[in-house]
Amino acid sequence: MFEQFSSGYYLGVLYVQPGEERAALNVEDHEAVNRQLYGDSEGIERLDSPLVMKLDGTHFPVRGAEGIPTGTLTVPESLADDDLPARREVLLARPERAGQLLKYGGWQPPDAA
């Protein structure tokens, strides 16, 4: 689904459509990407933080959700433009870059107080 693009990102093509308040992928796609690209050499997956994607210059966290077709990324209306729905190139931040982007964006794990 995603290929190495640069030192900070993977590149993929997804069907992008407007969705709920938070960006989301099909649960199985989310888990597969997490396992493949965010897991370490021992097979340990990072489930404590969301995937971070970039579309049209904007970074945003992506969660897994039921009811979304495979190969589809839903984005909040605030990120949707008049060209959606459409197949689009999407950047996925590499794990070390994702952590930086989340930190600077003010994201905290759900169990953080």
Side-chain angles (χ1 to χ4, degrees):
M1 185 178 290
F2 286 89
E3 300 175 5
Q4 186 164 341
F5 175 72
S6 69
S7 62
Y9 295 96
Y10 298 101
L11 175 67
V13 176
L14 295 171
Y15 187 77
V16 181
Q17 66 183 30
E20 301 295 321
E21 185 177 317
R22 294 174 49 195
L25 283 174
N26 171 284
V27 170
E28 289 81 17
D29 288 349
H30 188 274
E31 290 175 1
V33 169
N34 190 331
R35 190 176 311 109
Q36 177 188 1
L37 304 176
Y38 278 34
D40 68 15
S41 60
E42 298 174 9
I44 298 173
E45 301 170 37
R46 288 212 42 205
L47 299 175
D48 59 337
S49 63
L51 301 175
V52 175
M53 293 191 180
K54 180 179 179 182
L55 180 67
D56 297 331
T58 302
H59 289 93
F60 49 90
V62 178
R63 64 185 172 89
E66 298 289 338
I68 298 173
T70 190
T72 300
L73 170 67
T74 62
V75 296
E77 290 290 337
S78 62
L79 295 176
D81 58 32
D82 293 338
D83 295 334
L84 296 182
R87 289 187 59 76
R88 301 280 292 274
E89 289 185 341
V90 178
L91 293 173
L92 170 67
R94 294 178 61 87
E96 57 279 2
R97 180 78 173 127
Q100 293 170 342
L101 292 166
L102 289 171
K103 177 183 172 187
Y104 296 126
W107 183 86
Q108 293 185 9
D111 59 347

